[in-house]
Amino acid sequence: MKIKAIQPSQTWQIRHEVMWPEQPFEFVQLKEDDFGFHFGAFDDEKLVSIVSCFFTEKEMQFRKLATLEEYQGKGIASELLKFILNLAKQKKMKRVWCNARSNKKSFYEKFEMKDTHQTFIKAEQEFTIMEILL
């Protein structure tokens, strides 16, 4: 597996297929994408997992961490998350956070991320804000 920077448009197919298959394809195309940094995990030459990172002065938000279904459970998303947490440390960020689907909260807790108990609903999915202070 290799992790490298990718273009925003390379994230859209996996976002749509894994996270929002019932929504129109345009739903996963964020206007903020042009201002983010996007990374993909590749199995040989195949893009199998993606994440998008957005930086402010002292914080990094990551969004749309998703892995193709047939590659889930193999530690690929974990490696991608470790990669971006390390990137945040290198950039001297003070806080990393995400809007996690509530049913995926335990995944983020493995990386010492804490639930802020700030929840919301988007497209019938419940989310909670998870964070880690660096």
Side-chain angles (χ1 to χ4, degrees), residues 62 81 85 98 100 102-117 128-132:
F62 66 92
L81 186 52
L85 288 172
C98 71
S102 293
N103 64 344
K104 301 290 186 183
K105 188 172 77 163
S106 62
F107 172 77
Y108 297 103
E109 290 171 338
K110 291 187 234 173
F111 297 90
E112 299 180 18
M113 295 188 77
K114 306 287 186 220
D115 188 350
T116 66
H117 302 289
T128 187
I129 297 174
M130 303 287 294
E131 70 177 6
I132 185 168

Side-chain angles (χ1 to χ4, degrees), residues 6-40 47-54 61-69 72 80 101 122 125 127:
I6 59 175
Q7 294 299 312
S9 60
Q10 291 177 274
T11 67
W12 298 339
Q13 184 60 43
I14 292 177
R15 283 181 189 174
H16 187 254
E17 184 178 326
V18 175
M19 303 180 85
W20 301 106
E22 69 286 349
Q23 298 292 334
F25 190 74
E26 297 76 29
F27 186 80
V28 301
Q29 299 173 355
L30 307 177
K31 60 184 174 202
E32 302 89 11
D33 278 341
D34 289 338
F35 305 106
F37 295 85
H38 309 274
F39 300 96
L47 180 61
V48 298
S49 187
I50 50 97
V51 68
S52 299
C53 301
F54 301 88
Q61 178 191 19
F62 66 92
R63 301 172 75 174
K64 312 298 188 223
L65 175 62
T67 303
L68 291 174
E69 187 174 349
Q72 291 178 11
L80 203 46
R101 291 181 187 222
K122 177 181 177 184
Q125 290 281 335
F127 291 82

